Amino acid sequence: FVHFAQLLRAPNTCRRFAVKFAAGFAILLAALQPSFASEITVLSPDGRLNVTLELSERMTLRVSDAATPLFTLSSVTLAVRGEKPFGVQPGMVKTERSSRDTTIRPQIREKFAAIPERYNQATVTFSGGYGIVLRVFDEGVAYRLFTARPGEIVVDRESFGLTLPDSSRITY
């Protein structure tokens, strides 16, 4: 076997081969690595609320109002019986964005005859047949984990860690 260092000291032809081989090998390794530390950001229609989905070892949702952090949901996972938990080492396949600006007119009016429904949405699909939908309204945020797998599944638990800024005060 020839060591890589010996190839670099060899004549030009061998040296060029060694450099091309090393560059190609580095590119191949980078392509095979899972894509970690990706971010998807969704703003509310009025632009005040901001939700950022961070993808690394686990999913994290950061929610802020303008530049003020409101809360963070870390390690968002869904444990499914007999499967790798959804949200652990998520490999993003695609992201679809959409918006909605309509009015709901309820049959039974309790408070309002018309309810505005305005939001921006991102649907992120992951390898493994699951995904997350992020909806950001002018006055709140929502997320939903989903699966496109056929048949029934048993959900053992959904979990996340809630972190509030140090300056937060809670009264009950």
Side-chain angles (χ1 to χ4, degrees), residues 39 116 152:
E39 286 188 357
E152 293 184 8

Side-chain angles (χ1 to χ4, degrees), residues 3-84:
H3 290 283
F4 188 73
Q6 289 173 327
L7 284 175
L8 288 176
R9 288 191 301 267
N12 284 341
T13 306
C14 289
R15 193 171 331 147
R16 279 190 298 240
F17 171 77
V19 171
K20 286 180 182 179
F21 177 80
F25 188 70
I27 291 170
L28 178 65
L29 281 179
L32 293 176
Q33 292 296 319
S35 59
F36 290 124
S38 298
E39 286 188 357
I40 292 109
T41 300
V42 186
L43 295 173
S44 60
D46 66 5
R48 285 192 51 179
L49 286 179
N50 177 344
V51 175
T52 301
L53 173 65
E54 295 176 5
L55 303 174
S56 57
E57 285 292 318
R58 298 186 186 247
M59 292 190 291
T60 298
L61 291 168
R62 297 190 190 283
V63 180
S64 59
D65 181 4
T68 306
L70 297 176
F71 62 89
T72 299
L73 299 180
S74 58
S75 297
V76 178
T77 59
L78 187 70
V80 177
R81 188 166 298 158
E83 302 283 338
K84 174 183 164 186

Side-chain angles (χ1 to χ4, degrees), residues 60-128:
T60 298
L61 291 168
R62 297 190 190 283
V63 180
S64 59
D65 181 4
T68 306
L70 297 176
F71 62 89
T72 299
L73 299 180
S74 58
S75 297
V76 178
T77 59
L78 187 70
V80 177
R81 188 166 298 158
E83 302 283 338
K84 174 183 164 186
F86 298 172
V88 175
Q89 295 178 334
M92 184 171 53
V93 174
K94 71 177 179 177
T95 302
E96 296 177 5
R97 294 179 181 271
S98 60
S99 296
R100 186 168 187 144
D101 189 358
T102 62
T103 302
I104 298 172
R105 300 193 186 283
Q107 294 293 326
I108 300 173
R109 300 177 189 147
E110 292 186 26
K111 291 185 177 183
F112 303 101
I115 303 168
E117 183 181 32
R118 290 183 62 210
Y119 62 83
N120 291 326
Q121 175 175 300
T123 303
V124 184
T125 307
F126 303 104
S127 57

